[in-house]
Structures are given as C-alpha cells and as structure tokens.
Amino acid sequence: MAGRSWFYASEGQQQGPYPEIQLREFIARGTITADTLVWTEGMANWQRAGDVPGLVSGASGPPVIPRSGGPLTGAGGYSGGPLSIDFGIWDFVWRSLVLLIGLILIIPAPWALVWYINWFVPCVHVPGRPNLSFVGTAMTIVPWYFGALVLFIGVALIGSELLNNLMFLVQIVLYWLFVRWLVANLASNEQPLGLSFSGSFWAYLGWTILAGISIITIIGWAWVYTASLRWVCRNIQGTRREVVFVGTGLEFLWRAIVAAIASLFIIPIPWMYLWMSRWLASQTILAERGTQVNG
C-alpha cells in the first residue's frame, strides 16, 4: 500500500487524495476511525478503514455496507458532493506561458493545448472518480483546427466584410466542438468515463450572444455566465449522478471584481486564477438525479 494515494469519506463527501503517511496521521489523530470508508487504487469499492489489512490497529465491530462504486449518500439527501481543484502556482505559471507561446505560434497549438489539459484535468478531484485524467489526442482536433485556420486565411485574402462577419459563427462552432471533445475524453484511472455533451450548437450560440449583450448592463454578465454554466452542467450526459452548478451571479460578480482589481498588479494573477477555480469547482456538485440541491 505504501506510496498510494488515499481517499476517505467524511459527512457524505470525498476527501483527498492524501499520501498514505498523511492518512495514517489522520488515523492517529482520530480524524479517521475504523468505521471511516476509504478507497485507493486497486480497490473495487469503498471499505471500512478497519477492514483494510494493516491500516488501523485493533479494529473491531461490524462492517458498514457502502454504496457500490461510489461515495456515501450525505445527510442532505444526495450522493457525491462538490468538486475540488488544486495546483502549484509556479507549475501553473510556466505551463501557462508555454501554452501561450504555442497558441501564438499557431502550428503547435493543438499539441500545446492537449499537453496543458493533460496536466490540468488531474488537478480536479471528483467525488467517486479518483485519478481523473484526459485521454484525448491532438490529432483528433487537428483536422478541424487547421481546416478553420485555412478558412480564416482564405476569408482574410478575399477581404469580404460579410464573410468576415460569418467567421464569428465559425469561432463559436470551434468552441462548441471543443467542449464536446473535452467532455468525451475525460477518464478515471485511464478508463474513459463515457461522458458526452448534449447541448446543441444553437443553444450554445444563444448563450454566447446573450453573454455579449449582457456586457452593456455592466453587471448582468455575471448572472448570464452562471446561468450558462448551469446549462453546460445539465447537458453533461453519461453520469449516474447529475452535475449541478449552484453558484449565483452575485457570488461570481464580487469575486470577479476582486480578481480583476488584484490582477491589475500582474503578480497576483496566478493566485487569483487558483482562487476563482477553487470557488467554481466548489460550486459544481454531483447529486442524485432529481434531487433538489441548493447552493
């Protein structure tokens, strides 16, 4: 077991991952007891810590039967819990700079993007889905990426104002395809999760236009943004549990203002990005389908 990362269930929510040495510190302090459910790679289901050989000394008592293949059902009436995210600041900085250079150089953009996603996705921790990863390849997006690039160059050479305006639709199509591709290639323990994004292009276009229009309201964009996130989550298919975004426009607005002001000083940008990412993740909940979940 040494060297593995462990998860444990507390108040119906998944905690972790933690290295085994830290897990044993939790056991020594009483944070984790013999009846606490734990999971690590190689285990088919969650088990009582007391039932894992060599983990808890002197464990006794009848076993607790967990739900198969996932975390506990919490007192709030739904299974799962909020997502969480964490990453090293300097790791984020240099990787983001490499991605930016790749995007500026255009040609290596697909490979730089996949490389960045492969780093970022495992930083997200999903209840019941340990070792989240990404299995998409750059060659999957190369055809439509370079196809769109050729189209943009051709329109620029023609110089048609109408065609230039239509390129807006092409950009939205690319963003929509990217969301579908990203969701479809999420995996756990290197096994694809079989997820899909069912949101239509026209709905995606509508949200994009609404977001643009809402900017003139000064603050209304925050409510549009959170509503669009709820729409995206509702259209993630293939999960036993429903993905729900519970953040509000007001909560997002004041955080965005604070982050924007701090980012004017340049240096705090990575910390602000991590702060906002953690909030967005904490507001994304896995819940039993049909359950009312309030933020």
Side-chain angles (χ1 to χ4, degrees):
M1 294 186 295
R4 291 187 179 181
S5 294
W6 288 81
F7 299 80
Y8 73 92
S10 175
E11 299 181 353
Q13 296 183 12
Q14 172 182 295
Q15 308 293 328
Y18 298 104
E20 184 172 328
I21 187 171
Q22 188 171 359
L23 189 82
R24 292 188 179 278
E25 290 178 1
F26 290 153
I27 294 172
R29 294 202 300 261
T31 304
I32 295 177
T33 67
D35 291 326
T36 302
L37 292 176
V38 298
W39 185 92
T40 188
E41 185 177 359
M43 294 171 56
N45 295 302
W46 293 79
Q47 294 183 25
R48 291 174 65 251
D51 292 338
V52 179
L55 192 60
V56 179
S57 301
S60 62
V64 176
I65 302 177
R67 295 175 62 90
S68 176
L72 294 172
T73 299
Y78 62 91
S79 178
L83 277 59
S84 61
I85 187 171
D86 196 19
F87 50 78
I89 292 297
W90 300 116
D91 207 21
F92 166 76
V93 170
W94 78 262
R95 289 177 183 274
S96 297
L97 289 174
V98 171
L99 174 62
L100 179 61
I101 293 172
L103 295 176
I104 292 174
L105 295 177
I106 300 178
I107 299 298
W111 289 270
L113 182 60
V114 170
W115 169 78
Y116 191 84
I117 294 174
N118 279 329
W119 164 74
F120 188 82
V121 169
C123 296
V124 180
H125 307 298
V126 180
R129 295 297 184 186
N131 302 319
L132 195 68
S133 61
F134 184 75
V135 294
T137 64
M139 293 308 297
T140 306
I141 61 174
V142 160
W144 42 272
Y145 171 77
F146 284 107
L149 185 61
V150 170
L151 184 60
F152 277 102
I153 294 174
V155 169
L157 293 174
I158 294 173
S160 170
E161 187 67 26
L162 176 61
L163 290 178
N164 280 328
N165 292 333
L166 289 176
M167 287 301 97
F168 167 76
L169 288 177
V170 175
Q171 293 181 54
I172 302 304
V173 169
L174 290 177
Y175 294 143
W176 176 68
L177 288 174
F178 173 78
V179 173
R180 290 168 58 90
W181 170 72
L182 179 66
V183 172
N185 285 284
L186 294 176
S188 177
N189 287 328
E190 300 301 324
Q191 297 298 316
L193 293 174
L195 304 181
S196 62
F197 179 70
S198 61
S200 71
F201 165 73
W202 299 110
Y204 188 84
L205 175 63
W207 281 112
T208 303
I209 294 174
L210 184 59
I213 296 174
S214 67
I215 294 177
I216 64 175
T217 65
I218 309 301
I219 63 173
W221 57 268
W223 279 262
V224 172
Y225 183 82
T226 51
S228 66
L229 282 178
R230 283 191 284 272
W231 173 77
V232 169
C233 290
R234 282 198 306 270
N235 283 281
I236 296 177
Q237 305 298 321
T239 60
R240 284 189 304 156
R241 300 179 181 89
E242 185 177 9
V243 184
V244 183
F245 184 75
V246 298
T248 67
L250 182 60
E251 291 173 327
F252 181 79
L253 178 65
W254 75 260
R255 285 177 171 83
I257 292 174
V258 171
I261 294 174
S263 297
L264 292 176
F265 298 94
I266 309 299
I267 292 178
I269 289 178
W271 285 268
M272 292 298 98
Y273 187 87
L274 176 59
W275 179 59
M276 288 294 293
S277 297
R278 282 175 170 170
W279 178 76
L280 289 169
S282 70
Q283 300 303 299
T284 306
I285 309 293
L286 290 185
E288 293 293 348
R289 294 192 176 276
T291 302
Q292 294 295 323
V293 183
N294 298 317

